[in-house]
Amino acid sequence: MHITDDPIESQARSRAGAKLGWYFHAVVYLVVNLGLWLTSSLGWGSRPWSPAPLLGWGLGLALHGAAVFWLGSGSALRERMVQRERERLQRSRPGL
């Protein structure tokens, strides 16, 4: 683990780690679902493969991606929301 006092370096490492986590999640999703599909298509399973794991896990992967790429630290949406909250707090507490 790399420890630094530079906030930009720290944020960059955090964001890169989050993106790497999503890429790893996507690769595991593809490998597992490909394996399920192959198992079903070759008739090795006791019942036909269902698209339920593909859809359910796919929704989780999509939400993970949204959290990392659109709502994560440093995103434009998140920064706008933080700025609005900062302004709202400053208006409600003058003199702080």
Side-chain angles (χ1 to χ4, degrees):
M1 173 140 200
H2 187 269
I3 299 174
T4 180
D5 290 333
D6 182 12
I8 292 176
E9 176 74 15
S10 178
Q11 186 177 21
R13 287 185 175 280
S14 175
R15 290 173 66 184
K19 289 177 182 180
L20 207 57
W22 185 84
Y23 294 136
F24 182 76
H25 186 180
V27 167
V28 171
Y29 169 81
L30 291 172
V31 169
V32 169
N33 281 289
L34 179 61
L36 289 173
W37 179 78
L38 283 172
T39 300
S40 175
S41 66
L42 296 174
W44 293 338
S46 61
R47 60 179 221 196
W49 178 76
S50 168
L54 180 76
L55 297 174
W57 193 352
L59 176 62
L61 182 63
L63 292 173
H64 184 183
V68 168
F69 294 103
W70 290 306
L71 302 176
S73 177
S75 74
L77 175 61
R78 183 184 177 102
E79 293 304 317
R80 284 194 306 267
M81 292 174 74
V82 167
Q83 181 61 31
R84 275 191 228 130
E85 288 301 319
R86 187 179 296 119
E87 290 168 358
R88 186 175 298 140
L89 288 169
Q90 287 172 344
R91 280 193 307 268
S92 67
R93 299 180 193 170
L96 285 182

